[in-house]
């Protein structure tokens, strides 16, 4: 076995990775991991200030990053970003579809009925998550298909496979992403060869900007919902943002070259626990 076996198997040297939602909690953590493995990371999103902040953090840690704005709902802006990245770096090897999240209006308030939930809000959360994954996969995936290589990572959730109260719209959107991941994995492998792979991760409960108030109060104590989640998580805690990075690096690396169509849980055991 070569002395450089680990680097050969798990390193991403000279690769170019695009991370949509790169200014968010998990997107930023995944970008850090990819950069530490050797990839040049393109942080893409709507808020330039957050992207610049994330890029500076990556470079301070010894990685390389570029912050570029885009909108995952706008095919023309995505295509312009793709062309810009190809002009700068000559390749796109990795796409992390980390843009997404919940929409307050699509979350059922306590004491309210499903029959009162506005359909418009459900459409909004599906558009944000599902189509915010499909469009980048089409635009950046084209460059990967032309090169005959690449790794696309989508973001699912524990809500995709388990009925979790109140978040009906988000759950449906993430379930659709899991199905799209499997479908796209088959389609791209059959049409463009085994060098082009599509997988997903399914994070459990991580505290981020969108769900903080649901899980912990202003004093840092668990809310009732937060306590219920911890009680059903065998690891007994919420995840830390950087705990998604290792799985993402592995899925993008040569070590996972025969892995496609998989959805990998990162959940502290939540998905396999009966709660008893």
């Amino acid at each position: 076995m070569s002395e450089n076996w680990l680097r050969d198997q798990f390193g991403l040297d000279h690769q170019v990775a695009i991370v949509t939602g790169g200014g968010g909690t998990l997107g930023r953590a995944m970008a850090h991991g990819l950069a530490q493995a050797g990839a040049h990371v393109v942080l893409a999103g709507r808020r330039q200030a957050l992207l610049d902040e994330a890029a500076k953090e990556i470079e301070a840690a010894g990685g390389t990053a570029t912050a570029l704005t885009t909108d995952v709902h706008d095919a023309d802006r995505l295509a312009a970003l793709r062309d810009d990245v190809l002009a700068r770096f000559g390749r796109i090897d990795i796409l992390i579809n980390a843009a997404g999240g919940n929409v307050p209006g699509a979350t059922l308030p306590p004491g309210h009925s499903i029959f009162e939930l506005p359909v418009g809000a459900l459409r909004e959360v599906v558009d944000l998550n599902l189509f915010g994954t499909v469009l980048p996969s089409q635009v950046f995936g084209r460059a990967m298909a032309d090169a005959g290589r690449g790794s696309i990572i989508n973001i699912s959730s524990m809500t995709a496979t388990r009925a979790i109260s109140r978040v009906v719209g988000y759950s449906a959107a993430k379930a659709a992403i899991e199905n799209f991941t499997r479908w796209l994995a088959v389609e791209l492998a059959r049409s463009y060869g085994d060098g082009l792979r599509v997988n997903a991760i399914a994070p459990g409960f991580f505290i981020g900007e969108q769900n903080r108030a649901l899980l912990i109060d202003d004093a840092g104590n668990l809310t009732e919902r937060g306590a219920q989640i911890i009680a059903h998580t065998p690891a007994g805690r919420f995840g830390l943002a950087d705990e998604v990075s290792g799985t993402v690096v592995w899925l993008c690396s040569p070590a996972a070259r025969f892995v496609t169509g998989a959805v990998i849980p990162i959940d502290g055991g939540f998905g396999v626990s009966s709660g008893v």
Side-chain angles (χ1 to χ4, degrees):
M1 186 178 292
S2 166
E3 293 181 2
N4 296 320
W5 182 84
L6 280 177
R7 194 71 189 183
D8 292 341
Q9 289 293 301
F10 295 95
L12 302 174
D13 294 332
H14 310 302
Q15 295 196 34
V16 175
I18 296 175
V19 181
T20 70
T25 301
L26 293 186
R28 187 179 297 205
M30 289 183 273
H32 270 276
L34 294 169
Q36 288 300 304
H40 180 88
V41 178
V42 177
L43 298 153
R46 291 181 297 178
R47 293 186 281 181
Q48 186 71 54
L50 285 179
L51 300 174
D52 288 339
E53 182 182 276
K56 288 178 181 177
E57 290 176 355
I58 288 172
E59 291 177 346
T64 61
T66 303
L68 299 172
T69 57
T70 194
D71 184 342
V72 295
H73 298 113
D74 188 327
D76 290 337
R77 289 189 65 185
L78 288 168
L81 175 61
R82 176 197 61 204
D83 295 344
D84 186 5
V85 171
L86 289 173
R88 292 179 189 228
F89 307 110
R91 59 191 295 164
I92 297 172
D93 303 282
I94 295 165
L95 170 63
I96 311 295
N97 283 311
N102 204 359
V103 173
T107 298
L108 193 67
H112 285 242
S113 164
I114 180 61
F115 308 115
E116 303 170 72
L117 198 64
V119 172
L122 293 177
R123 289 195 178 103
E124 185 181 354
V125 75
V126 170
D127 185 57
L128 172 62
N129 289 277
L130 177 59
F131 291 100
T133 294
V134 171
L135 273 178
S137 297
Q138 288 181 312
V139 173
F140 300 114
R142 166 57 66 185
M144 296 179 183
D146 289 344
R149 66 174 191 280
S151 176
I152 297 174
I153 308 295
N154 298 327
I155 313 302
S156 181
S157 165
M158 284 296 101
T159 65
T161 55
R162 308 203 55 183
I164 296 177
S165 64
R166 301 177 58 191
V167 290
V168 56
Y170 183 73
S171 300
K174 291 302 188 181
I177 285 175
E178 287 203 6
N179 184 274
F180 176 68
T181 296
R182 296 182 179 105
W183 185 92
L184 190 62
V186 173
E187 174 66 18
L188 294 185
R190 285 179 172 170
S191 298
Y192 299 99
D194 65 349
L196 192 53
R197 302 179 296 106
V198 186
N199 293 288
I201 61 169
F205 290 88
F206 294 74
I207 296 176
E209 180 182 341
Q210 294 184 347
N211 66 358
R212 183 178 301 276
L214 287 173
L215 302 179
I216 56 175
D217 61 23
D218 292 339
N221 299 313
L222 292 173
T223 62
E224 180 181 356
R225 188 174 181 84
Q228 289 176 336
I229 289 167
I230 295 301
H232 287 80
T233 302
R237 62 176 176 84
F238 298 121
L240 303 175
D242 63 0
E243 290 176 326
V244 302
S245 301
T247 302
V248 168
V249 168
W250 164 62
L251 285 172
C252 294
S253 74
R257 60 187 174 273
F258 201 52
V259 180
T260 195
V263 180
I264 309 299
I266 310 173
D267 66 348
F270 181 91
V272 297
S273 173
S274 68
V276 177

